[in-house]
Amino acid sequence: HAWSQLCPRLSRSHSSDDGEEGSSSTIASAAAERIHSILEMMYELSEEERAERTTYDSIAAAIEKSMNRSNDDALVSRTISPNASSYNAILTAWSNCSDRKSATKALDLFRMMLERYNISCHARDALVRNKCQNELSSSKPRRDFTAKTDSFPDSRTLVALLKSIQILSSSMEFEDALNFVDSIREFATKVDDQNEWSHAQDILPPTGKRKPDRIFNVFVCNAIIRTYSNLPATTLEEYRRCCERIDDLIEILESSHSVKPDVATRGMAIHAWEKSHRFAHECSDKEAKNCAKMRSAKARVHADAILSHMQSTTSRRGLLFEKPLSIICDVIAMHGDAGETTEAEELYLRAREGNTSYVPILAAIIEALSSNAANNILHVKKAHQFLSEFENDIMKSNLRVLPDMKFTRLYNAVIAGYISSTEKTDGIELAKTLLTHMIEKHTSNPQHIARPNTTTFVKVMTALARGEDNAQQLDMLLGEMDKINNQSKLLPAELAANVVPNKVAYDLVL
């Protein structure tokens, strides 16, 4: 255990130091090798002792130990056999080394672990000990055998193994990597099914009469989903297959009584669909882009489930967590790319319910609506409405909020949307109106969030410069830039606007 803790500590201590990354990896690998050698020593000593016993002696010793008999003639084990924790420590150490060689060794160790332990052997031993115990103590109620056969893989084993597969997958063919993950998923399911059967047949598991813990728990499920999401897909079809496997797995979990998908599970499913969406967006294939609505609909199912889960809790503070918010933002962006502005608005309104600080999802909906300005300027007007509502809420609240670049970007996004709309005249006029609003609010109250910057002015001035008879308006805006620049010199740094009449602004006026 002490050696196994060295590997992740080395990874964390040198994660930001590129010069020592190789040295850290070498030491971590050496530590993993050391753990492996200790395990092999344990196994060899255990096998040596087992070889000296007959089958009858082994069964008798197990019975004596399980019935807590104090028999001086009982065979007492002189060695400690490797258990699941021993193997897990090595697997975790190898997976933390983050190189292909170590990942390969982790897979080899898992195969060795399976070779050294056979499920059917465990069931057979349990039956033999069951029978022997009834014969030895027929007058007493049957006792539970609690002797552990701990060398069988558990959920932690599979989590560490899947981490190694993620490292190896980049050098594997997609089909091979996909089949590998499928086989681990099938393995975990079969083990749980066999444990269920053994428990139902009164074949006592290692935990005694207590029902054994499932190997296929939420941690293994999330590790499998994470691995599916990171497989080396190179085509849209391969991305689709990974995403569909993830959805199928989550659907199975939803109908399960023992394991349910959590926020992390749903988040990784959304991440997988979002990766597929980005890949399709970068493709020149028109048909691939036309599937954007299908992908956003798939991701939306998980987003709605996350919001339902968060809103069903006693406190809605969970909605403010950074991770769920970023996941919802991804789905809003997917709706925007697919031209589904109505769906994006619905998701935004649901996500902001009960929250007073929802800047990330506000930024996502403004970007989604503004990016569809070419289709209809009403989308940008809706984004402007959401921004105005946020401005009124935040300025009327008791929160101490100062102007920040994250707020300025929201206003700039709306202005950019107006300017890019097909209705050029109305768009430019509305953009100029919003800029005027920002100038008035900042000059009258430097603590107002509607603080412009140089980019805000240049966007509007560029649009005006493309038209005719706008020289006077351009000159006026240049004068406003100069006024704000002079005012900023008298304000504290956190309130000063970054507005400087630069060469671009002068060129536009000229």
Side-chain angles (χ1 to χ4, degrees):
H1 176 74
W3 278 105
S4 66
Q5 295 301 305
L6 181 61
C7 299
R9 287 180 181 177
L10 285 170
S11 300
R12 288 193 296 268
S13 62
H14 296 294
S15 59
S16 60
D17 193 341
D18 295 335
E20 298 188 22
E21 185 176 356
S23 173
S24 171
S25 177
T26 302
I27 299 174
S29 297
E33 290 280 8
R34 178 60 176 165
I35 306 169
H36 201 154
S37 65
I38 294 173
L39 180 134
E40 287 304 299
M41 188 186 307
M42 293 170 62
Y43 179 74
E44 289 173 4
L45 291 173
S46 174
E47 285 297 290
E48 182 180 341
E49 181 186 65
R50 188 184 65 80
E52 296 175 355
R53 291 181 175 180
T54 64
T55 304
Y56 176 81
D57 289 336
S58 298
I59 296 175
I63 293 174
E64 293 290 342
K65 181 177 180 181
S66 64
M67 298 183 70
N68 298 318
R69 289 187 177 180
S70 57
N71 187 347
D72 295 336
D73 297 329
L75 295 173
V76 180
S77 176
R78 302 185 304 272
T79 62
I80 301 176
S81 303
N83 57 19
S85 297
S86 309
Y87 286 97
N88 291 345
I90 308 174
L91 281 171
T92 303
W94 284 129
S95 63
N96 282 326
C97 291
S98 301
D99 62 88
R100 287 182 55 197
K101 183 178 178 182
S102 300
T104 303
K105 290 184 177 181
L107 297 183
D108 292 340
L109 180 66
F110 178 71
R111 294 189 185 99
M112 182 192 304
M113 190 176 183
L114 291 181
E115 289 173 2
R116 293 176 177 178
Y117 187 98
N118 186 296
I119 307 177
S120 61
C121 177
H122 161 56
R124 184 170 60 250
D125 285 351
L127 284 170
V128 172
R129 288 183 294 172
N130 227 14
K131 182 178 179 182
C132 291
Q133 184 189 30
N134 288 333
E135 291 176 354
L136 290 172
S137 182
S138 57
S139 60
K140 295 182 179 180
R142 200 178 68 175
R143 302 281 297 276
D144 291 341
F145 289 103
T146 56
K148 295 185 177 180
T149 39
D150 278 337
S151 61
F152 190 73
D154 59 14
S155 60
R156 292 167 296 178
T157 311
L158 299 187
V159 170
L161 181 66
L162 287 163
K163 186 176 179 181
S164 297
I165 292 175
Q166 291 183 52
I167 300 170
L168 278 178
S169 63
S170 59
S171 60
M172 299 171 66
E173 292 292 333
F174 172 80
E175 201 67 35
D176 294 337
L178 185 67
N179 291 337
F180 204 156
V181 183
D182 286 344
S183 66
I184 293 179
R185 172 181 167 181
E186 183 181 2
F187 168 79
T189 304
K190 285 185 175 180
V191 170
D192 286 336
D193 289 345
Q194 180 160 342
N195 283 339
E196 289 278 354
W197 178 86
S198 298
H199 191 265
Q201 299 300 318
D202 211 17
I203 300 175
L204 301 178
T207 52
K209 258 191 173 179
R210 179 176 63 84
K211 192 173 183 179
D213 295 330
R214 291 180 62 86
I215 290 182
F216 194 72
N217 58 21
V218 70
F219 301 104
V220 172
C221 173
N222 289 350
I224 291 174
I225 291 176
R226 189 181 298 108
T227 309
Y228 276 137
S229 179
N230 292 323
L231 289 182
T234 55
T235 65
L236 194 59
E237 173 64 18
E238 291 175 349
Y239 275 106
R240 182 189 61 78
R241 290 175 66 188
C242 291
C243 292
E244 287 182 348
R245 272 174 166 74
I246 292 173
D247 282 354
D248 289 343
L249 181 56
I250 291 178
E251 187 176 345
I252 293 172
L253 295 182
E254 286 177 332
S255 59
S256 171
H257 297 292
S258 54
V259 185
K260 293 293 184 181
D262 57 11
V263 173
T265 311
R266 300 282 187 181
M268 285 184 286
I270 291 175
H271 175 67
W273 281 110
E274 196 266 339
K275 280 181 66 176
S276 172
H277 174 79
R278 276 190 282 114
F279 180 84
H281 197 67
E282 295 168 0
C283 292
S284 56
D285 189 353
K286 185 177 181 181
E287 184 179 351
K289 293 182 179 179
N290 290 338
C291 296
K293 291 185 178 181
M294 179 274 292
R295 289 186 292 272
S296 62
K298 294 284 189 179
R300 177 63 179 271
V301 172
H302 300 295
D304 287 337
I306 289 174
L307 290 176
S308 297
H309 171 74
M310 304 300 278
Q311 291 171 338
S312 65
T313 57
T314 55
S315 171
R316 292 185 178 180
R317 289 178 59 84
L319 283 176
L320 300 178
F321 292 165
E322 182 179 351
K323 194 66 176 177
L325 277 181
S326 65
I327 294 169
I328 302 303
C329 291
D330 289 339
V331 182
I332 291 175
M334 291 175 69
H335 279 312
D337 290 340
E340 300 174 315
T341 55
T342 302
E343 289 79 358
E345 290 175 27
E346 291 173 353
L347 184 57
Y348 162 74
L349 291 172
R350 186 181 178 192
R352 83 170 188 180
E353 184 181 352
N355 288 333
T356 55
S357 177
Y358 45 90
V359 177
I361 53 175
L362 177 63
I365 189 61
I366 287 176
E367 182 63 33
L369 294 174
S370 297
S371 63
N372 285 276
N375 299 329
N376 196 329
I377 197 173
L378 291 177
H379 298 322
V380 191
K381 289 182 178 180
K382 192 67 175 180
H384 192 172
Q385 176 189 329
F386 288 145
L387 179 59
S388 298
E389 291 172 356
F390 171 77
E391 179 186 300
N392 292 332
D393 291 343
I394 204 87
M395 295 309 298
K396 289 179 181 179
S397 67
N398 295 325
L399 300 173
R400 185 178 181 273
V401 181
L402 297 177
D404 192 275
M405 189 60 198
K406 64 185 177 184
F407 300 132
T408 303
R409 290 194 188 98
L410 301 178
Y411 290 92
N412 288 352
V414 175
I415 288 174
Y418 278 135
I419 293 172
S420 63
S421 67
T422 52
E423 301 176 31
K424 293 297 181 185
T425 304
D426 290 344
I428 293 173
E429 191 62 33
L430 289 168
K432 190 176 67 173
T433 301
L434 181 54
L435 174 58
T436 302
H437 169 77
M438 296 177 72
I439 294 171
E440 290 175 354
K441 292 298 181 182
H442 177 70
T443 53
S444 61
N445 178 15
Q447 294 187 351
H448 200 283
I449 64 170
R451 182 180 65 181
N453 62 1
T454 304
T455 303
T456 316
F457 280 90
V458 169
K459 284 180 182 293
V460 177
M461 293 172 72
T462 301
L464 289 171
R466 295 194 186 105
E468 298 179 0
D469 302 327
N470 290 328
Q472 186 175 357
Q473 295 185 62
L474 288 167
D475 190 54
M476 181 194 69
L477 290 176
L478 184 64
E480 291 292 344
M481 290 182 74
D482 193 52
K483 288 180 183 178
I484 293 177
N485 185 36
N486 292 331
Q487 181 191 29
S488 298
K489 296 175 182 178
L490 305 175
L491 294 173
E494 64 270 16
L495 300 179
N498 183 20
V499 176
V500 180
N502 56 13
K503 182 178 181 297
V504 177
Y506 281 106
D507 288 346
L508 288 171
V509 175
L510 292 174

